[in-house]
Amino acid sequence: MIPGGRTALHPRYEVFDRDVKNHVELFRPENVPLETEEARLCQQYQKLTGSLTVKFHGEEKTLVQMGRYLEEPDRPLRQEAWELVAKRRLQEAEKFDAIFDRQIKLRHQIARNAGFDNYRDYAFRRLGRFDYTPEDCPRFHDAVETEVMPVERELQAERRAQLKLDKLRPWDLAVDPLNRPPLKPFARVEEMVSRTQKIFNRLDRELGGGFRQMQELRLLDLDNRKGKAPGGYQDTLNEARLPFIFMNAVGLQRDVETILHEAGHAFHALAAREDNLRAYRHAPIEFCEVASMSMELLGNEFIEEFYSAADANRARRVHLEGIIGIFPWIATVDAFQHWIYTRPNHTRAERAAAWLALMDRFGGDVDWSGYETARANLWHRQLHIFLHPFYYIEYGIAQLGALQVWANSKRDKARALNDYKTALALGGSRPLPELFQAAGCGFEFSAKTIRPLTKLLREELEKLRD
Ligand SMILES: [Zn+2]
């Protein structure tokens, strides 16, 4: 007989039991009205953000539509567009702060009602984070500061030199530094599908088969057409246990990244579909995004299916630079929330100062002079802070997993893909460290893990130099 408790005797239901127990333990009837109020404030934020428009060259534009002008080679035009958006947001600064003040108070009360000292500790439990703690997060932030920021600053210096500027301003960060026209990976969606199919065929026969099956079963709705809802995502038809992909492809490199990413999620759903426990057919977000982000990196190895050799390298470079650039932002958003919810009685001035200190740490070499207020309020545009508190570091954790899968594939492609598929097939049936381990990755996010991955990114970027 095996000595020990339930876990040893019922490993099959360990994760399931843990999640159900957690859910029951956190429930407090007195929190129901508070959560309703919290949801109302979230709606207010969404309504406010969604309603913002500007008048640009005689036309009314949403702030999302304004985003594309930051890719314009014409610098004064970029600046004009950026300033207009920043100014529009600042007009609502008071409202954003007021919504957030009330959210913090409510969330703190919800946490206290459930028996926690603060909302951070409550949120970690609520999000089912059993495999890492709030204390792991500052280690991640520190590692981003020491390992990633030097590379980010190098990339910014290079961009500055290529753009022939003394200083990078906030409107110089998205434009192609060599002023080239946008990459054109395909003209028609059918081309995107057939080329993506070729990438997966070259990567792995089984994954190629999965994507072909999705085509045959008409599980892809990819083209942008009038009246179609915006966005791109993968979801699962739970009854049929089949994934589908929805997106609005218009012929940009971004679309190629999206289809590779969402296909990674779809492969995950296909791999885990046989599990008869529905809860186990989905993994936690920290690992779901390993499935999808790995596919971006692995798929990009064959992106010549879309491009000439030079354009393929340009696309890879943009992708890898994006990975470097997202870590500091994740660290900023996460560290900010740790600060906020462990000091629920802070003033708005203290909050702004805390944010600015993080911008100094993680903002890199960008000159914001003349726009100090916009810089201090930049967090207003990060919807997770308002709508999904603490839900952001997952992307950092997952990206580290994906980079490890990619690093493994450079040493032994067959084995890396095999581990990847094995881990996907586990769905959500095991705790995170085991899912990562099955995929050939460590579940650890301090400098020990980040340093070699940053080194790899830097070496790869060097190889892709124009
Ligand atoms: Zn995703």
Side-chain angles (χ1 to χ4, degrees):
M1 208 183 126
I2 313 165
R6 263 174 77 80
T7 305
L9 293 171
H10 300 282
R12 164 72 180 151
Y13 296 106
E14 181 189 344
V15 173
F16 184 74
D17 287 350
R18 187 178 76 173
D19 289 344
V20 172
K21 188 165 163 269
N22 188 44
H23 201 73
V24 173
E25 279 174 2
L26 290 183
F27 181 76
R28 295 290 182 284
E30 61 269 35
N31 276 341
V32 174
L34 303 186
E35 282 160 359
T36 308
E37 175 65 10
E38 190 195 4
R40 220 178 48 79
L41 290 165
C42 290
Q43 277 169 12
Q44 272 183 28
Y45 173 82
Q46 275 174 306
K47 210 173 145 198
L48 178 58
T49 310
S51 72
L52 301 184
T53 60
V54 292
K55 195 99 174 228
F56 186 61
H57 294 201
E59 272 182 64
E60 193 181 16
K61 302 252 183 212
T62 66
L63 302 196
V64 177
Q65 288 171 328
M66 290 301 288
R68 77 172 194 84
Y69 293 102
L70 296 179
E71 295 174 26
E72 273 288 330
D74 179 348
R75 195 178 191 219
L77 187 72
R78 287 204 303 274
Q79 178 174 358
E80 186 191 346
W82 185 89
E83 275 179 350
L84 206 55
V85 170
K87 220 195 273 166
R88 185 67 194 88
R89 284 189 192 281
L90 279 182
Q91 283 169 2
E92 309 296 340
E94 164 62 33
K95 283 186 198 156
F96 283 123
D97 269 307
I99 291 173
F100 198 49
D101 282 343
R102 289 168 65 196
Q103 284 180 321
I104 294 165
K105 280 213 163 46
L106 272 171
R107 286 168 183 164
H108 187 66
Q109 191 56 49
I110 288 169
R112 300 286 302 182
N113 289 350
F116 291 81
D117 284 345
N118 60 61
Y119 184 76
R120 180 195 65 180
D121 295 350
Y122 171 82
F124 265 66
R125 278 291 301 279
R126 174 79 182 261
L127 291 165
R129 293 177 179 174
F130 298 102
D131 305 308
Y132 58 103
T133 67
E135 288 70 43
D136 289 316
C137 298
R139 282 195 276 277
F140 171 78
H141 310 150
D142 291 347
V144 170
E145 187 175 16
T146 57
E147 308 303 320
V148 181
M149 283 315 295
V151 187
E152 175 67 356
R153 287 180 203 276
E154 266 176 37
L155 293 173
Q156 287 175 336
E158 198 177 335
R159 163 174 286 271
R160 199 166 55 227
Q162 286 176 324
L163 286 169
K164 300 185 176 60
L165 300 172
D166 294 336
K167 282 172 177 168
L168 282 182
R169 310 288 327 240
W171 48 87
D172 296 324
L173 307 177
V175 65
D176 181 76
L178 298 173
N179 282 338
R180 293 164 294 193
L183 288 164
K184 288 221 164 47
F186 59 90
R188 293 176 315 117
V189 164
E190 297 75 45
E191 290 167 352
M192 178 179 87
V193 174
S194 64
R195 290 170 190 175
T196 304
Q197 179 68 58
K198 282 186 189 155
I199 288 179
F200 291 137
N201 292 348
R202 289 174 66 184
L203 187 60
D204 180 86
R205 235 166 50 119
E206 201 180 335
L207 298 179
F211 194 71
R212 177 156 311 282
Q213 192 192 7
M214 291 189 72
Q215 283 190 62
E216 284 162 6
L217 296 173
R218 304 172 60 82
L219 297 167
L220 305 173
D221 181 356
L222 310 178
D223 60 321
N224 174 259
R225 47 180 194 272
K226 205 175 161 205
K228 183 170 169 177
Y233 56 86
Q234 177 272 334
D235 207 344
T236 300
L237 305 163
N238 277 311
E239 216 38 34
R241 302 190 187 184
L242 287 170
F244 68 89
I245 298 175
F246 177 97
M247 63 181 276
N248 282 280
V250 290
L252 300 172
Q253 165 54 19
R254 205 172 294 141
D255 299 327
V256 179
E257 282 175 23
T258 302
I259 187 72
L260 292 173
H261 180 99
E262 303 307 336
H265 285 309
F267 295 148
H268 207 174
L270 287 173
R273 73 188 293 263
E274 299 301 333
D275 202 306
N276 53 23
L277 195 58
R278 185 179 155 182
Y280 282 179
R281 299 201 290 267
H282 302 274
I285 184 87
E286 291 89 343
F287 191 71
C288 283
E289 294 298 321
V290 175
S292 54
M293 290 170 171
S294 298
M295 226 8 87
E296 291 181 42
L297 285 159
L298 296 172
N300 271 352
E301 303 277 314
F302 302 105
I303 207 165
E304 277 82 358
E305 293 294 345
F306 282 96
Y307 295 118
S308 68
D311 279 357
N313 281 347
R314 179 180 159 194
R316 289 189 187 108
R317 212 181 143 84
V318 169
H319 183 240
L320 298 185
E321 284 184 2
I323 292 176
I324 291 284
I326 194 67
F327 280 115
W329 184 249
I330 292 172
T332 307
V333 170
D334 190 59
F336 185 55
Q337 297 186 85
H338 281 257
W339 188 93
I340 295 281
Y341 291 104
T342 51
R343 291 166 189 78
N345 299 316
H346 62 257
T347 65
R348 284 186 192 178
E350 288 166 339
R351 181 158 78 212
W355 174 260
L356 286 172
L358 289 166
M359 287 292 290
D360 287 341
R361 257 179 102 187
F362 297 111
D365 299 321
V366 179
D367 178 10
W368 285 78
S369 48
Y371 302 94
E372 286 79 5
T373 323
R375 187 171 181 250
N377 288 286
L378 199 61
W379 59 275
H380 288 170
R381 68 174 194 189
Q382 185 61 50
L383 66 89
H384 293 76
I385 293 174
F386 293 84
L387 306 183
H388 311 289
F390 286 101
Y391 175 73
Y392 209 57
I393 195 166
E394 284 92 338
Y395 294 102
I397 295 171
Q399 189 70 74
L400 293 178
L403 287 169
Q404 290 179 78
V405 170
W406 184 53
N408 293 344
S409 82
K410 292 195 174 294
R411 287 188 289 268
D412 184 342
K413 185 174 152 235
R415 182 169 171 192
L417 273 157
N418 212 42
D419 289 349
Y420 170 83
K421 290 188 290 181
T422 305
L424 262 54
L426 290 172
S429 67
R430 302 304 307 148
L432 281 171
E434 286 182 45
L435 297 177
F436 273 68
Q437 194 187 17
C441 312
F443 185 71
E444 202 278 340
F445 27 103
S446 75
K448 193 177 98 187
T449 301
I450 296 186
R451 186 171 303 140
L453 298 174
T454 311
K455 184 167 167 275
L456 173 64
L457 281 168
R458 186 190 239 142
E459 285 164 4
E460 291 292 319
L461 280 165
E462 194 57 42
K463 281 189 217 163
L464 299 172
R465 197 164 286 284
D466 304 292

